[in-house]
Amino acid sequence: MNPSTESRGAAKRALLSLAIGSFGIGMTEFVVMGLLPNIAADLLPSLWASSQEDALSQAGWLISLYALGVVVGAPTIAGFVARFPRHRVMIVLAIALTVFNALTVVLPTFELVGASRFLAGLPHGAYFGIGALVAADVMGPGNRAKGVAFILTGLTVANVVGVPLGTFLGQTWGWRAAFGVVALVFAIATICIVFFVPEHPGSPGRTMRQELGVFRIGQVWFTLGIGAIGFGGFFAVYSYIAPLVTEVAGSPEWVVPIVLVLMGIGMTVGNLVGGHLADIDLRRTLLFGLGAMAVVFALLALLSFWFISLSLLVLIVGFVSSVLSPTIQTRLMDVAGDNQSIAAAMNHSALNIGNSLGAFLGGVVIAVGWGFTAPAWTGAVLAIAGLVIALLSYRVEARRPAALVGSPS
């Protein structure tokens, strides 16, 4: 089946199947953050009894391990499977996501759960990168971006519905219940992909060496740095949102899912607005977004002691941070030349390096005794660093002939 013969209903079913998987990915990546105190208390009981701050800091490694799995898996898997039929690759990736998240439900110790989180992160970037190519092809010429956007909608909806729901279930029935739901979502996605995603050939002549040529382009490294460091500020805040709500603002635990809904709403709107603004002026959107993110994080650190101001700022944090998501993705695609598929996957590697870096540094500043507002200050510093990298990137680009942009350097 090719896009011209694919019926409208069949195309929608294919996109929905892929979006279910992206919903599961959004849920498994972010639900940990709302349940971090519950996980720390269960898997690190002795440390939790002696120092909750130290336990939360160590539990934050689960976020970092998942992110590292994405970083390792995105280029490796995307490069290796480029020559295989893409619909079959998507089935295998969905099965892997199902199995690895199910392991998180049943493994008994912190170390083993950490290993399962690393494994669960491996298929993440390849799923989005290859899924975007399948979605664009299913929709056909003139509608490619709509197909990609539909898949990413699953990720944003996960932050509005899936993450708060998973947090509520985890607080009520134990944190493992949330990952049980995640595994079920991936199982449903697998079945739907098998039945509804049409056959889609790969690139039989494409080699790993050709795919890795993207790393010879200097502007790709600048853009990956913006995502890894600048966007890492968001994860420094998001990773420790639960103690910010309960310990700093003094709100009860059941308020955490509500705050996560506000974050998700901000992220959903910001993603849509960011795509529109990036089409108008990508450079200004990128620079303004990074600068605004630094300011908002500083305000969050100063005003999070009151629930009303905390809630408003969390909404704005979600909005401003997600304005950057499509902007960084577009910038990376612009500078990647012919290496579009691996660039799409590498965007998720960069963002998850930011996830790992932000979660790690946020845990460090908590562990040294600087308090639960310290991750917000850390996020502001990382956002400023990302802004500096962006300014340097454009400065270097301005000194090169336009014809060389996207060429190896």
Side-chain angles (χ1 to χ4, degrees):
M1 257 186 173
N2 57 54
S4 62
T5 62
E6 188 73 14
S7 72
R8 204 173 204 182
K12 287 183 178 179
R13 287 191 292 272
L15 292 176
L16 180 59
S17 300
L18 297 173
I20 292 172
S22 69
F23 178 90
I25 288 177
M27 192 172 176
T28 193
E29 180 174 17
F30 296 121
V31 76
V32 177
M33 297 161 185
L35 293 173
L36 208 58
N38 308 79
I39 296 172
D42 181 46
L43 295 180
L44 302 166
S46 299
L47 187 58
W48 179 263
S50 60
S51 173
Q52 292 187 10
E53 291 186 352
D54 289 345
L56 284 168
S57 176
Q58 185 170 330
W61 277 97
L62 297 179
I63 301 171
S64 299
L65 286 168
Y66 179 90
L68 288 175
V70 180
V71 173
V72 172
T76 305
I77 296 175
F80 178 75
V81 303
R83 63 184 186 274
F84 296 109
R86 289 171 180 155
H87 66 289
R88 295 182 183 176
V89 171
M90 294 304 294
I91 293 171
V92 173
L93 293 174
I95 291 173
L97 286 163
T98 304
V99 172
F100 295 147
N101 279 279
L103 288 176
T104 300
V105 179
V106 299
L107 292 175
T109 67
F110 177 81
E111 291 76 15
L112 290 175
V113 168
S116 74
R117 297 307 296 153
F118 175 80
L119 292 173
L122 290 175
H124 174 129
Y127 185 96
F128 276 116
I130 298 169
L133 296 175
V134 174
D137 191 65
V138 165
M139 291 297 288
N143 294 294
R144 293 165 60 85
K146 291 180 182 177
V148 175
F150 193 94
I151 292 182
L152 291 177
T153 299
L155 184 63
T156 57
V157 170
N159 284 282
V160 179
V161 180
V163 174
L165 177 61
T167 302
F168 173 76
L169 291 174
Q171 291 174 346
T172 305
W173 300 101
W175 65 269
R176 295 179 188 273
F179 288 97
V181 173
V182 169
L184 178 61
V185 169
F186 283 126
I188 294 172
T190 302
I191 295 170
C192 291
I193 292 171
V194 169
F195 285 102
F196 300 125
V197 174
E199 293 186 9
H200 192 289
S203 303
R206 196 71 177 169
T207 66
M208 173 70 85
R209 183 175 181 179
Q210 289 174 315
E211 291 289 320
L212 295 180
V214 71
F215 295 110
R216 296 169 54 208
I217 302 173
Q219 285 295 332
V220 167
W221 284 105
F222 276 120
T223 309
L224 293 175
I226 294 169
I229 296 175
F231 207 78
F234 168 73
F235 291 107
V237 174
Y238 198 5
S239 299
Y240 301 96
I241 195 70
L244 195 65
V245 173
T246 58
E247 303 301 323
V248 178
S251 300
E253 189 179 63
W254 60 265
V255 172
V256 175
I258 297 175
V259 173
L260 291 175
V261 169
L262 293 174
M263 179 78 81
I265 292 173
M267 292 174 70
T268 301
V269 177
N271 186 58
L272 297 173
V273 173
H276 177 72
L277 293 178
D279 283 337
I280 297 173
D281 192 325
L282 190 147
R283 175 175 177 168
R284 288 186 179 180
T285 303
L286 181 60
L287 298 179
F288 173 79
L290 289 164
M293 195 161 64
V295 172
V296 173
F297 290 158
L299 290 174
L300 183 66
L302 294 171
L303 302 175
S304 58
F305 297 93
W306 300 278
F307 177 72
I308 299 299
S309 57
L310 170 64
S311 300
L312 178 61
L313 286 168
V314 163
L315 180 68
I316 298 173
V317 164
F319 175 83
V320 173
S321 300
S322 286
V323 163
L324 286 173
S325 297
T327 308
I328 294 173
Q329 174 73 83
T330 303
R331 173 67 177 169
L332 185 57
M333 301 296 278
D334 285 348
V335 301
D338 296 329
N339 308 285
Q340 297 293 298
S341 59
I342 195 167
M346 282 302 299
N347 182 52
H348 294 277
S349 283
L351 296 182
N352 278 274
I353 289 175
N355 190 343
S356 179
L357 179 66
F360 171 73
L361 293 179
V364 168
V365 294
I366 290 174
V368 298
W370 291 353
F372 290 115
T373 60
W377 289 115
T378 303
V381 172
L382 290 172
I384 292 171
L387 178 60
V388 171
I389 295 172
L391 290 169
L392 180 60
S393 171
Y394 282 113
R395 183 180 179 86
V396 171
E397 184 178 79
R399 292 181 174 180
R400 303 185 65 209
L404 293 181
V405 176
S407 302
S409 60

